[in-house]
Amino acid sequence: PLSGRVQLSRAVGDLIPWAEERSITFSMHTPEDEMMVMGETDGLLHVFHNLLNNAVKYSPVGGVITVSAEDDGESIVFSVEDQGPGISREHSTKVFERFYRVDENTIDGSGSAGLGLAICRRIVKNFGGEIWHDGYGEGTRGARFCFRLNKPEESVVTNI
Ligand code: ATP
Ligand code: MG
């Protein structure tokens, strides 16, 4: 089992130039910028990149993307939430299938293969975690993707 580092400022950093072009800002709600989870650093960055890419793509101009991490002691739940059109319940599990796209959400057509979320799911499952869409809470508008990964045992951390 591998443990990897999630550095949120770095994950978000890659998307900042594109977000700025559309006046989209990021709001970070995390206990720390860097966290250790079961997984591998590049794969974790890839998951964030795909989720944040979607969030920027579907955000309205001037929108806010909220990135959060919650540590429950054994695992960390990360979430990426935007203020775009959201995803109806009917599509909420299907969007993780390869090539699946929600037609009414498709903005430009180009650069949209319908693979990003399938890749996220494969990576997260490989790391022993789970990923889901949960954008139906009180006050939630837009899409909200969450994924949970276990934290490494203390002994694993100190061996790195
Ligand atoms: P790719 O990621 O391969 O460039 P894509 O973004 O279309 O293409 P996914 O990331 O797998 O593919 O997303 C699948 C579909 O889910 C999208 O086409 C879109 O319809 C919907 N979707 C994904 N993220 C969001 C979001 N944040 N808001 C609204 N709809 C979304
Ligand atoms: Mg995508």
Side-chain angles (χ1 to χ4, degrees):
L2 291 169
S3 65
R5 200 177 294 279
V6 175
Q7 194 188 343
L8 289 168
S9 56
R10 182 171 166 212
V12 167
D14 293 340
L15 275 299
I16 287 178
W18 181 30
E20 275 181 352
E21 280 173 30
R22 306 191 44 234
S23 305
I24 292 162
T25 52
F26 293 94
S27 170
M28 311 295 287
H29 295 264
T30 72
E32 286 162 280
D33 183 42
E34 246 185 46
M35 284 157 283
M36 295 298 295
V37 291
M38 295 308 289
E40 167 266 317
T41 301
D42 283 349
L44 296 166
L45 213 52
H46 210 88
V47 172
F48 269 105
H49 192 271
N50 286 351
L51 294 180
L52 291 165
N53 181 287
N54 286 344
V56 174
K57 185 158 65 176
Y58 294 103
S59 281
V61 169
V64 179
I65 296 170
T66 305
V67 179
S68 70
E70 254 178 70
D71 185 337
D72 72 9
E74 277 173 16
S75 63
I76 299 182
V77 177
F78 298 94
S79 72
V80 174
E81 182 175 346
D82 62 52
Q83 298 175 323
I87 295 171
S88 63
R89 282 182 198 276
E90 145 189 37
H91 299 293
S92 67
T93 54
K94 293 184 188 148
V95 289
F96 292 99
E97 289 169 16
R98 268 186 296 173
F99 309 119
Y100 192 88
R101 293 164 53 183
V102 184
D103 284 337
E104 60 264 33
N105 282 3
T106 304
I107 289 169
D108 54 356
S110 63
S112 252
L115 283 172
L117 291 173
I119 292 168
C120 288
R121 181 173 65 173
R122 203 179 54 190
I123 294 171
V124 170
K125 279 203 170 166
N126 241 317
F127 293 162
E130 48 178 344
I131 183 166
W132 67 97
H133 177 260
D134 157 34
Y136 316 107
E138 187 83 21
T140 311
R141 60 183 240 250
R144 179 169 190 256
F145 285 92
C146 304
F147 63 101
R148 176 194 298 279
L149 290 167
N150 287 324
K151 291 168 63 177
E153 312 266 323
E154 292 297 329
S155 58
V156 179
V157 177
T158 52
N159 281 339
I160 296 169

Coordinates of all heavy atoms in Angstrom, one line a residue, residues 24-27 50-60 63-68 78-89 91-93 95-96 102 105-107 117 131-147:
I24 N -13.2 33.4 -12.3 CA -13.7 32.4 -11.3 C -12.6 32.3 -10.2 O -11.4 32.3 -10.5 CB -13.8 31.0 -12.0 CG1 -15.0 31.0 -13.0 CG2 -13.9 29.8 -11.0 CD1 -14.9 29.9 -14.1
T25 N -13.1 32.2 -9.0 CA -12.2 32.2 -7.8 C -12.4 30.9 -7.1 O -13.4 30.2 -7.2 CB -12.4 33.4 -6.9 OG1 -13.8 33.4 -6.5 CG2 -12.0 34.7 -7.6
F26 N -11.3 30.5 -6.3 CA -11.4 29.3 -5.5 C -11.5 29.7 -4.0 O -10.8 30.6 -3.5 CB -10.1 28.5 -5.7 CG -10.0 28.0 -7.1 CD1 -9.3 28.7 -8.1 CD2 -10.6 26.8 -7.4 CE1 -9.2 28.2 -9.4 CE2 -10.5 26.3 -8.7 CZ -9.8 27.0 -9.7
S27 N -12.3 29.0 -3.3 CA -12.4 29.2 -1.9 C -12.0 27.9 -1.2 O -12.6 26.8 -1.5 CB -13.9 29.5 -1.6 OG -14.1 29.5 -0.2
N50 N -8.9 16.6 -12.8 CA -10.1 16.4 -13.6 C -11.4 17.0 -13.0 O -12.2 17.5 -13.7 CB -10.4 14.8 -13.7 CG -9.4 14.2 -14.7 OD1 -8.7 14.9 -15.4 ND2 -9.4 12.9 -14.7
L51 N -11.5 16.9 -11.7 CA -12.6 17.5 -11.0 C -12.6 19.0 -11.1 O -13.7 19.7 -11.4 CB -12.7 17.1 -9.5 CG -12.9 15.6 -9.2 CD1 -12.9 15.4 -7.7 CD2 -14.2 15.1 -9.8
L52 N -11.5 19.6 -10.9 CA -11.4 21.1 -11.0 C -11.5 21.6 -12.4 O -12.1 22.6 -12.7 CB -10.0 21.6 -10.5 CG -9.9 21.4 -8.9 CD1 -8.4 21.5 -8.5 CD2 -10.7 22.4 -8.2
N53 N -11.1 20.8 -13.4 CA -11.3 21.1 -14.8 C -12.8 21.2 -15.1 O -13.2 22.1 -15.7 CB -10.6 20.0 -15.6 CG -10.7 20.3 -17.1 OD1 -11.7 20.1 -17.7 ND2 -9.6 20.7 -17.7
N54 N -13.5 20.2 -14.7 CA -15.0 20.2 -14.9 C -15.6 21.4 -14.1 O -16.5 22.1 -14.7 CB -15.6 19.0 -14.3 CG -15.4 17.7 -15.2 OD1 -15.0 17.9 -16.3 ND2 -15.6 16.6 -14.6
A55 N -15.1 21.7 -12.9 CA -15.7 22.8 -12.1 C -15.5 24.1 -12.8 O -16.4 24.9 -12.9 CB -15.1 22.8 -10.7
V56 N -14.3 24.3 -13.4 CA -14.1 25.6 -14.1 C -14.9 25.6 -15.4 O -15.5 26.6 -15.7 CB -12.6 25.8 -14.4 CG1 -12.3 27.0 -15.3 CG2 -11.7 25.9 -13.2
K57 N -14.9 24.5 -16.1 CA -15.6 24.4 -17.4 C -17.1 24.7 -17.2 O -17.7 25.4 -18.1 CB -15.4 23.0 -18.0 CG -16.0 22.8 -19.3 CD -15.4 21.6 -20.1 CE -15.6 20.3 -19.4 NZ -15.0 19.2 -20.2
Y58 N -17.7 24.3 -16.1 CA -19.1 24.4 -16.0 C -19.5 25.6 -15.1 O -20.7 25.9 -14.9 CB -19.8 23.1 -15.5 CG -19.7 22.0 -16.5 CD1 -18.7 21.0 -16.4 CD2 -20.5 22.0 -17.6 CE1 -18.6 20.0 -17.3 CE2 -20.4 21.1 -18.6 CZ -19.4 20.1 -18.4 OH -19.3 19.1 -19.4
S59 N -18.5 26.3 -14.6 CA -18.9 27.5 -13.7 C -19.3 28.7 -14.6 O -18.8 28.9 -15.6 CB -17.6 28.0 -12.9 OG -17.4 27.1 -11.8
P60 N -20.3 29.5 -14.0 CA -20.6 30.7 -14.7 C -19.5 31.7 -14.5 O -18.7 31.6 -13.6 CB -21.8 31.2 -13.9 CG -21.7 30.6 -12.6 CD -21.0 29.3 -12.8
G63 N -18.0 32.9 -11.0 CA -18.4 31.8 -10.0 C -17.3 31.5 -9.0 O -16.1 31.9 -9.2
V64 N -17.7 30.9 -8.0 CA -16.8 30.5 -6.9 C -16.7 28.9 -6.9 O -17.8 28.3 -6.9 CB -17.2 31.0 -5.5 CG1 -16.3 30.5 -4.4 CG2 -17.3 32.5 -5.5
I65 N -15.5 28.4 -6.8 CA -15.4 26.9 -6.7 C -14.9 26.7 -5.3 O -13.8 27.2 -4.9 CB -14.4 26.4 -7.7 CG1 -15.0 26.6 -9.1 CG2 -14.1 24.9 -7.5 CD1 -14.0 26.4 -10.3
T66 N -15.6 25.9 -4.5 CA -15.2 25.6 -3.2 C -14.5 24.3 -3.1 O -15.1 23.2 -3.5 CB -16.5 25.6 -2.3 OG1 -17.1 26.9 -2.4 CG2 -16.1 25.5 -0.8
V67 N -13.3 24.3 -2.5 CA -12.6 23.0 -2.4 C -12.5 22.8 -0.9 O -12.0 23.7 -0.1 CB -11.2 23.1 -3.0 CG1 -10.4 21.9 -2.8 CG2 -11.3 23.5 -4.5
S68 N -12.9 21.6 -0.4 CA -12.8 21.3 1.0 C -12.2 20.0 1.3 O -12.2 19.1 0.5 CB -14.1 21.5 1.7 OG -15.0 20.5 1.3
F78 N -12.6 14.7 0.5 CA -12.3 15.9 -0.3 C -13.6 16.3 -1.1 O -14.3 15.4 -1.5 CB -11.2 15.7 -1.2 CG -9.9 15.4 -0.6 CD1 -9.5 14.0 -0.4 CD2 -9.0 16.4 -0.1 CE1 -8.3 13.7 0.2 CE2 -7.8 16.0 0.5 CZ -7.5 14.7 0.7
S79 N -13.8 17.6 -1.3 CA -14.9 17.9 -2.2 C -14.6 19.1 -3.0 O -13.8 20.0 -2.6 CB -16.2 18.1 -1.4 OG -16.2 19.2 -0.7
V80 N -15.2 19.1 -4.2 CA -15.1 20.2 -5.2 C -16.5 20.6 -5.6 O -17.2 19.8 -6.1 CB -14.3 19.8 -6.4 CG1 -14.2 20.9 -7.4 CG2 -12.8 19.4 -6.0
E81 N -16.8 21.8 -5.3 CA -18.2 22.3 -5.5 C -18.2 23.5 -6.4 O -17.4 24.4 -6.2 CB -18.9 22.6 -4.2 CG -20.3 23.0 -4.3 CD -21.0 23.2 -2.9 OE1 -20.4 22.7 -1.9 OE2 -22.0 23.8 -2.8
D82 N -19.1 23.6 -7.4 CA -19.2 24.8 -8.2 C -20.6 25.3 -8.2 O -21.5 24.9 -7.5 CB -18.7 24.4 -9.7 CG -19.6 23.4 -10.3 OD1 -20.8 23.6 -10.4 OD2 -19.0 22.4 -10.8
Q83 N -20.8 26.4 -9.0 CA -22.1 27.1 -9.0 C -22.7 27.0 -10.4 O -23.4 27.9 -10.8 CB -21.9 28.5 -8.6 CG -21.4 28.7 -7.2 CD -21.1 30.1 -6.8 OE1 -20.7 30.9 -7.6 NE2 -21.4 30.4 -5.5
G84 N -22.3 26.0 -11.1 CA -22.8 25.7 -12.5 C -24.2 25.1 -12.5 O -24.9 25.2 -11.5
P85 N -24.6 24.5 -13.6 CA -25.9 23.9 -13.7 C -26.2 22.7 -12.8 O -27.4 22.4 -12.6 CB -26.0 23.5 -15.2 CG -24.5 23.2 -15.6 CD -23.7 24.2 -14.8
G86 N -25.1 22.1 -12.3 CA -25.4 20.9 -11.4 C -25.6 19.7 -12.2 O -25.7 19.7 -13.5
I87 N -25.9 18.6 -11.5 CA -26.1 17.3 -12.2 C -27.4 16.7 -11.5 O -27.4 16.5 -10.3 CB -24.9 16.4 -12.0 CG1 -23.7 17.0 -12.8 CG2 -25.2 15.0 -12.5 CD1 -22.4 16.3 -12.5
S88 N -28.4 16.4 -12.3 CA -29.6 15.9 -11.7 C -29.4 14.4 -11.2 O -28.5 13.8 -11.7 CB -30.7 15.9 -12.7 OG -30.4 15.1 -13.8
R89 N -30.2 14.0 -10.3 CA -30.0 12.7 -9.7 C -30.0 11.6 -10.7 O -29.3 10.6 -10.6 CB -31.2 12.4 -8.7 CG -31.0 13.1 -7.4 CD -32.2 12.8 -6.5 NE -32.3 13.7 -5.4 CZ -31.6 13.7 -4.3 NH1 -30.8 12.7 -4.1 NH2 -31.8 14.6 -3.3
H91 N -28.6 11.5 -13.5 CA -27.3 11.4 -14.1 C -26.2 11.2 -13.1 O -25.1 11.0 -13.5 CB -27.0 12.6 -15.0 CG -28.0 12.9 -16.1 ND1 -28.1 12.1 -17.1 CD2 -28.9 13.9 -16.2 CE1 -29.0 12.6 -18.0 NE2 -29.5 13.7 -17.4
S92 N -26.5 11.3 -11.8 CA -25.4 11.4 -10.9 C -24.5 10.2 -10.7 O -23.3 10.4 -10.4 CB -26.0 11.7 -9.5 OG -26.7 10.7 -9.0
T93 N -24.9 9.0 -11.1 CA -24.0 7.9 -11.0 C -23.4 7.6 -12.4 O -22.3 7.2 -12.6 CB -24.6 6.6 -10.5 OG1 -25.8 6.3 -11.2 CG2 -24.9 6.8 -9.0
V95 N -22.5 9.7 -14.7 CA -21.4 10.5 -15.2 C -20.1 9.9 -15.0 O -19.1 10.4 -15.6 CB -21.5 12.0 -14.6 CG1 -22.6 12.8 -15.1 CG2 -21.5 11.9 -13.0
F96 N -20.0 8.9 -14.1 CA -18.7 8.2 -13.9 C -18.4 7.2 -14.9 O -17.3 6.6 -14.9 CB -18.7 7.6 -12.5 CG -18.7 8.6 -11.4 CD1 -19.8 9.0 -10.7 CD2 -17.5 9.3 -11.0 CE1 -19.8 9.9 -9.7 CE2 -17.5 10.2 -10.0 CZ -18.7 10.5 -9.4
V102 N -23.7 14.6 -20.0 CA -25.1 15.1 -19.9 C -25.3 16.2 -20.9 O -24.6 17.2 -20.8 CB -25.2 15.7 -18.5 CG1 -26.7 16.1 -18.2 CG2 -24.8 14.7 -17.4
N105 N -25.8 19.8 -20.2 CA -24.8 20.6 -19.5 C -23.6 20.9 -20.5 O -22.7 21.6 -20.1 CB -24.2 19.7 -18.4 CG -25.1 19.7 -17.2 OD1 -26.2 20.3 -17.3 ND2 -24.7 19.0 -16.2
T106 N -23.6 20.3 -21.6 CA -22.5 20.5 -22.5 C -22.4 21.9 -23.1 O -23.3 22.4 -23.7 CB -22.5 19.4 -23.6 OG1 -22.5 18.1 -23.0 CG2 -21.2 19.5 -24.5
I107 N -21.3 22.5 -22.8 CA -21.1 23.9 -23.1 C -20.5 24.1 -24.5 O -21.1 24.8 -25.3 CB -20.3 24.7 -22.0 CG1 -21.1 24.8 -20.8 CG2 -19.9 26.0 -22.5 CD1 -20.3 25.2 -19.6
L117 N -14.2 11.8 -15.5 CA -14.8 11.2 -14.2 C -14.5 9.7 -14.1 O -14.4 9.2 -13.1 CB -16.2 11.6 -14.1 CG -16.6 13.0 -13.8 CD1 -18.1 13.3 -13.8 CD2 -16.0 13.5 -12.4
I131 N -15.7 7.5 -4.7 CA -16.0 8.9 -5.2 C -17.5 8.9 -5.6 O -18.0 7.9 -6.0 CB -15.1 9.2 -6.4 CG1 -15.3 10.6 -6.9 CG2 -15.2 8.1 -7.5 CD1 -14.2 11.1 -7.9
W132 N -18.1 10.0 -5.3 CA -19.5 10.2 -5.6 C -19.9 11.6 -5.9 O -19.1 12.5 -5.6 CB -20.4 9.6 -4.5 CG -20.3 10.3 -3.2 CD1 -21.2 11.3 -2.8 CD2 -19.3 10.2 -2.2 NE1 -20.8 11.8 -1.5 CE2 -19.6 11.1 -1.1 CE3 -18.1 9.5 -2.0 CZ2 -18.8 11.3 0.0 CZ3 -17.3 9.6 -0.9 CH2 -17.7 10.5 0.1
H133 N -21.1 11.8 -6.5 CA -21.6 13.1 -6.7 C -22.7 13.4 -5.6 O -23.5 12.5 -5.4 CB -22.2 13.3 -8.1 CG -22.8 14.7 -8.2 ND1 -24.1 14.9 -8.1 CD2 -22.2 15.9 -8.4 CE1 -24.3 16.2 -8.3 NE2 -23.2 16.8 -8.5
D134 N -22.6 14.5 -5.0 CA -23.6 14.8 -3.9 C -23.8 16.3 -4.0 O -23.2 17.1 -3.3 CB -22.9 14.4 -2.6 CG -23.4 15.1 -1.4 OD1 -24.6 15.5 -1.4 OD2 -22.6 15.4 -0.5
G135 N -24.7 16.7 -4.8 CA -25.0 18.2 -5.0 C -26.4 18.5 -4.6 O -27.0 19.4 -5.2
Y136 N -27.0 17.8 -3.7 CA -28.4 18.0 -3.5 C -28.7 18.5 -2.1 O -29.9 18.4 -1.6 CB -29.2 16.6 -3.7 CG -28.7 16.0 -5.0 CD1 -27.9 14.9 -5.0 CD2 -29.0 16.6 -6.2 CE1 -27.4 14.3 -6.2 CE2 -28.5 16.1 -7.4 CZ -27.7 14.9 -7.4 OH -27.2 14.4 -8.5
G137 N -27.7 19.0 -1.4 CA -27.9 19.4 0.0 C -28.6 20.8 0.0 O -28.7 21.5 -1.0
E138 N -29.0 21.2 1.2 CA -29.7 22.5 1.4 C -28.7 23.6 1.0 O -27.5 23.5 1.4 CB -30.0 22.6 2.9 CG -30.7 23.8 3.3 CD -32.2 23.6 3.1 OE1 -32.7 22.4 3.1 OE2 -32.9 24.6 3.1
G139 N -29.1 24.5 0.2 CA -28.3 25.6 -0.2 C -27.3 25.3 -1.2 O -26.4 26.1 -1.6
T140 N -27.3 24.0 -1.7 CA -26.3 23.7 -2.7 C -26.9 24.0 -4.1 O -28.0 23.6 -4.4 CB -26.0 22.1 -2.7 OG1 -25.8 21.8 -1.3 CG2 -24.8 21.8 -3.5
R141 N -26.1 24.7 -4.9 CA -26.5 24.8 -6.3 C -25.2 24.5 -7.0 O -24.1 24.7 -6.6 CB -27.0 26.2 -6.6 CG -26.0 27.3 -6.4 CD -26.8 28.6 -6.7 NE -26.1 29.4 -7.7 CZ -25.5 30.5 -7.5 NH1 -25.4 31.0 -6.4 NH2 -24.9 31.1 -8.5
G142 N -25.4 23.9 -8.2 CA -24.2 23.4 -8.9 C -23.8 22.0 -8.5 O -24.5 21.3 -7.8
A143 N -22.7 21.6 -9.1 CA -22.3 20.2 -8.9 C -21.3 20.2 -7.6 O -20.7 21.1 -7.3 CB -21.5 19.7 -10.1
R144 N -21.4 19.0 -7.0 CA -20.5 18.8 -5.8 C -20.0 17.4 -5.9 O -20.7 16.4 -5.7 CB -21.2 19.1 -4.5 CG -20.4 18.9 -3.3 CD -21.1 19.4 -2.1 NE -20.2 19.4 -0.9 CZ -20.2 18.5 0.1 NH1 -21.1 17.6 0.1 NH2 -19.3 18.6 1.0
F145 N -18.7 17.2 -6.2 CA -18.1 15.9 -6.2 C -17.2 15.7 -4.9 O -16.5 16.6 -4.5 CB -17.2 15.8 -7.4 CG -18.0 15.6 -8.7 CD1 -18.3 16.6 -9.5 CD2 -18.4 14.3 -9.1 CE1 -19.1 16.5 -10.6 CE2 -19.2 14.1 -10.2 CZ -19.5 15.2 -11.0
C146 N -17.4 14.5 -4.4 CA -16.6 14.2 -3.1 C -15.9 12.9 -3.4 O -16.3 12.0 -4.1 CB -17.6 13.9 -2.0 SG -18.8 15.2 -1.6
F147 N -14.7 12.8 -2.7 CA -14.1 11.4 -2.7 C -13.4 11.3 -1.3 O -12.9 12.2 -0.7 CB -13.1 11.2 -3.8 CG -11.9 12.1 -3.9 CD1 -10.7 11.7 -3.5 CD2 -12.1 13.4 -4.5 CE1 -9.6 12.5 -3.7 CE2 -11.0 14.2 -4.6 CZ -9.7 13.8 -4.2

